[in-house]
Amino acid sequence: MFADMHCHAHMRTYLYLCQKKIKNGAKEISPWTIIATNMYRLKHADRAAGFGQADLVSLWNSGTRLVFVSMYPIEREFFLTPEQPVGGKYKFLRKVVRLATHHKAPIRTLLQHLIMRLPIETINYVISEKYDYWEFLQKEYAFLKSKSGIVTKNEIHSPGLLRTVLENNENRRVKYPDHYHAEGCYQIPMNRAEALEISKKNIILMPLTIEGGHVFDACANDEKTVLGRIDHIKNKWQHPLFFITISHHFDNKLCGHAHSLPSVAEFLLNQRKAMNTGITGLGWKVIRKLLAVDEHNNPVVDENYRVLIDLKHMSAQARKEYYEQLIRPCMAKGDSIPLIASHCSYSGRKTLQEMIDLQDSEDDTFRVKNEYGTYYAWNINLCDEDILMIYKTGGIFGLSFDKRMTGISSKKKEEKMEHYDNINGLWNNLKAALQVIYTDDSFSLKEKRKAWDMLAIGTDFDGYIEPVSTYKTALKLPDFKQDLLAAIKRETRQDNPLQCVSDFDEVFTPELVVDKICYDNALNFTLKHYPEKSL
């Protein structure tokens, strides 16, 4: 079986059909409704637009039975013209592009439609005054609740009039059953005991997560409203929220985001505001309220339950502040808050300060090479200091399947020479994380073996990523598992094998650790830390 620490199982369907349903009175949709994949694009395109990666049918048929579903009201900044163009090269061209692609002009909407494969209705809604992050989140949660615990046969929606007329959905079920046919069930657990019971059944266990603190909309609301929304989630929602990715791509007035978008995106977008900054005053109040600790890092029992904070997208500066001012002081008091890096990769850097010092050098070619491989050195990725903190807090590191983040070159010729666009690139990230612990002499051999317990999968599927080419969808997870086992065994046969693969024996085997990475670690983490919501 498989677990995914971060994917958007419902998002492609919800973003595509929610406004169409309102406008056109479309038939009832549910998370089991899937958008028909363009099979040509699946075979030939790199970026996941036009084909599904982790809809419920693909997840079910791949054997994925633990899905940390990520709710994400998409950020307006993807669709609105930035107030200022990004500086740098081609300034005149950037100004021309900004003028020609203004959100009030049709060309920007058309580009977004073609790039992201979103309907015009959805794009127009997001840039309208009606769009509200908080309200969208409530509707998204209701959408996910609608089929929780109910066995359902999937429906298929064909995008576009031509495909609707020319393509037959039932023929698709027969020709591509893994992509188009499933009758299954997912369930959002109410508490830890229910999570355990679900895990024993042939049901997808689905903890709730949120990507982006912008859902509280601190840009448009006062402190009382923002903090009250956390109370609403904790006390009014039927199900607990497991964790939240506090930062994302743009300024949310809470926590500085790491540089994340490639240079080509900066002709249309500008994420520089608050990028690479730290945690704001309001951000600290939000984080402490979510974690149920006060300003002195003592537990607050009245906060109902703890919502964990996901490190992904937090700037290196913000992570540094987070560890120094909250995580380490709480550890010193006996409160070890587990760190989550839900869909991350390794940077090849040693410390957060090193990443901070070099953050202005980040461009598409900014990689670092060491004895384990070549890595994407942007501060959105994890350094040795992060890995050690995750390990020491009993946290978890979900491996992203985003090609760029794993360190695969953006230059086609270089990519082919390095041969990383496959299991090699992913294993490079895993073994580098393991070596951080295995090369630290302060840990015993028994303690070092526990490094394998912090690793998991966090694909970021259907998050508009460009995936590693050999594993484009959840249906390829069985191939990933087989290839990972082969890569680890191949590593053990080297003349001087790495420390992390040098201590296998008849009990502690490559097969065991691969099972841990693919499913067991994420399940154990869930059963240990799933919130106990007060009634």
Side-chain angles (χ1 to χ4, degrees):
M1 290 193 290
F2 298 95
D4 194 337
M5 293 293 301
H6 181 88
C7 69
H8 303 270
H10 65 295
M11 195 170 82
R12 189 163 179 255
T13 294
Y14 193 66
L15 285 177
Y16 200 94
L17 292 178
C18 64
Q19 287 307 303
K20 279 184 172 289
K21 181 179 182 297
I22 293 170
K23 182 177 179 180
N24 303 322
K27 66 180 181 180
E28 193 66 32
I29 61 171
S30 82
W32 285 99
T33 305
I34 64 168
I35 306 299
T37 282
N38 184 319
M39 302 306 289
Y40 179 86
R41 288 189 63 82
L42 174 59
K43 185 176 181 180
H44 298 286
D46 291 325
R47 186 162 291 277
F51 64 88
Q53 293 182 294
D55 56 53
L56 283 172
V57 171
S58 295
L59 290 166
W60 183 266
N61 290 332
S62 69
T64 304
R65 292 297 181 268
L66 174 53
V67 174
F68 293 77
V69 67
S70 179
M71 294 177 283
Y72 170 54
I74 197 165
E75 288 148 293
R76 294 184 188 91
E77 288 87 346
F78 279 115
F79 305 95
L80 294 175
T81 308
E83 294 179 5
Q84 296 292 332
V86 176
K89 295 181 179 179
Y90 315 115
K91 288 184 179 179
F92 179 74
L93 179 59
R94 290 176 190 273
K95 290 180 180 179
V96 172
V97 170
R98 181 175 178 272
L99 182 63
T101 60
H102 195 278
H103 60 264
K104 293 184 178 179
I107 189 170
R108 188 180 184 92
T109 300
L110 180 61
L111 282 171
Q112 293 288 3
H113 171 64
L114 294 173
I115 293 169
M116 302 182 77
R117 288 299 194 271
L118 289 175
I120 302 297
E121 295 95 331
T122 298
I123 296 170
N124 288 337
Y125 171 58
V126 172
I127 64 176
S128 74
E129 293 182 359
K130 296 179 181 178
Y131 183 59
D132 180 277
Y133 294 140
W134 179 249
E135 289 182 5
F136 191 95
L137 176 67
Q138 308 313 307
K139 294 174 182 177
E140 195 174 0
Y141 170 48
F143 182 69
L144 286 168
K145 280 197 305 180
S146 66
K147 292 293 182 179
S148 178
I150 301 172
V151 177
T152 307
K153 179 181 176 182
N154 73 286
E155 298 287 341
I156 305 170
H157 175 82
S158 297
L161 180 61
L162 188 63
R163 292 186 67 185
T164 301
V165 172
L166 297 180
E167 298 179 4
N168 184 289
N169 286 340
E170 294 311 310
N171 287 346
R172 282 197 185 100
R173 288 186 189 272
V174 175
K175 189 174 182 179
Y176 304 107
D178 286 346
H179 290 276
Y180 288 115
H181 181 72
E183 186 169 357
C185 181
Y186 69 86
Q187 188 170 345
I188 306 167
M190 298 286 289
N191 49 50
R192 208 170 295 168
E194 188 170 74
L196 176 60
E197 290 306 309
I198 296 168
S199 70
K200 296 175 182 178
K201 302 174 183 177
N202 188 26
I203 295 175
I204 293 175
L205 173 61
M206 187 179 281
L208 296 175
T209 75
I210 291 174
E211 184 159 40
H214 64 282
V215 296
F216 303 123
D217 209 356
C219 295
N221 293 279
D222 59 21
E223 178 180 308
K224 182 179 179 181
T225 301
V226 170
L227 298 178
R229 288 174 170 178
I230 298 173
D231 285 329
H232 180 90
I233 289 174
K234 286 189 174 187
N235 299 310
K236 300 298 184 182
W237 278 17
Q238 182 181 353
H239 305 90
L241 178 68
F242 198 0
F243 66 79
I244 180 170
T245 312
I246 198 69
S247 300
H248 204 219
H249 294 296
F250 302 99
D251 179 26
N252 62 19
K253 304 299 182 188
L254 302 177
C255 182
H257 55 282
H259 187 193
S260 60
L261 300 177
S263 58
V264 67
E266 293 189 331
F267 280 90
L268 293 174
L269 309 171
N270 187 346
Q271 67 169 165
R272 297 302 173 112
K273 186 177 181 181
M275 187 176 81
N276 295 331
T277 60
I279 301 170
T280 69
L282 177 56
W284 277 116
K285 291 180 180 180
V286 166
I287 289 171
R288 292 184 183 283
K289 190 171 184 63
L290 287 163
L291 290 172
V293 296
D294 64 19
E295 64 271 24
H296 303 296
N297 299 312
N298 296 314
V300 180
V301 294
D302 293 340
E303 285 296 345
N304 197 326
Y305 65 89
R306 172 170 284 171
V307 179
L308 296 175
I309 304 298
D310 182 13
L311 300 177
K312 177 68 179 200
H313 290 287
M314 286 178 76
S315 69
Q317 179 63 42
R319 301 200 302 275
K320 189 171 188 290
E321 294 173 2
Y322 183 50
Y323 300 160
E324 290 175 352
Q325 298 181 43
L326 195 150
I327 296 299
R328 291 190 180 105
C330 283
M331 288 179 70
K333 293 184 176 187
D335 183 11
S336 187
I337 299 172
L339 293 173
I340 297 176
S342 68
H343 54 299
C344 289
S345 301
Y346 178 67
S347 70
R349 301 295 184 190
K350 297 292 184 183
T351 67
L352 288 165
Q353 190 59 53
E354 181 183 2
M355 301 181 86
I356 293 166
D357 293 341
L358 295 170
Q359 64 194 17
D360 291 339
S361 301
E362 294 175 358
D363 63 20
D364 292 349
T365 63
F366 192 62
R367 301 190 301 160
V368 63
K369 188 173 184 178
N370 63 24
E371 64 268 40
Y372 310 129
T374 303
Y375 302 96
Y376 198 60
W378 288 23
N379 77 102
I380 193 172
N381 279 342
L382 303 177
C383 65
D384 291 12
E385 186 177 349
D386 291 303
I387 300 296
L388 277 166
M389 288 300 295
I390 292 169
Y391 174 78
K392 289 179 178 180
T393 61
I396 196 158
F397 168 17
L399 177 66
S400 170
F401 279 37
D402 186 324
K403 178 190 290 189
R404 180 165 60 98
M405 293 299 163
T406 59
I408 297 167
S409 177
S410 59
K411 299 177 180 178
K412 292 294 183 183
K413 186 176 181 180
E414 194 171 46
E415 177 188 303
K416 290 181 180 179
M417 288 178 59
E418 291 176 338
H419 197 55
Y420 286 157
D421 192 15
N422 49 46
I423 193 61
N424 295 333
L426 295 171
W427 169 233
N428 282 351
N429 280 263
L430 291 173
K431 68 184 180 185
L434 288 164
Q435 285 295 103
V436 172
I437 308 303
Y438 270 85
T439 56
D440 189 328
D441 292 335
S442 67
F443 298 120
S444 67
L445 177 59
K446 183 179 180 181
E447 289 171 328
K448 290 177 179 179
R449 281 187 172 184
K450 291 181 180 179
W452 290 95
D453 297 342
M454 70 177 174
L455 302 178
I457 294 170
T459 62
D460 199 14
F461 279 160
D462 280 333
Y464 296 104
I465 65 166
E466 184 175 344
V468 174
S469 295
T470 45
Y471 317 108
K472 286 185 175 182
T473 76
L475 290 170
K476 292 296 182 180
L477 288 177
D479 292 346
F480 165 77
K481 183 175 184 178
Q482 179 179 322
D483 294 345
L484 178 60
L485 179 60
I488 292 173
K489 288 184 173 181
R490 191 162 54 245
E491 196 78 52
T492 66
R493 295 193 294 269
Q494 299 295 317
D495 290 338
N496 294 299
L498 298 174
Q499 294 96 317
C500 64
V501 298
S502 297
D503 67 330
F504 290 124
D505 54 33
E506 292 182 357
V507 177
F508 190 70
T509 64
E511 288 81 5
L512 175 70
V513 298
V514 169
D515 284 340
K516 285 174 176 283
I517 293 168
C518 289
Y519 181 74
D520 294 344
N521 289 342
L523 178 62
N524 291 336
F525 185 87
T526 303
L527 298 180
K528 183 176 181 180
H529 298 292
Y530 196 77
E532 292 292 350
K533 186 178 185 299
S534 300
L535 298 177

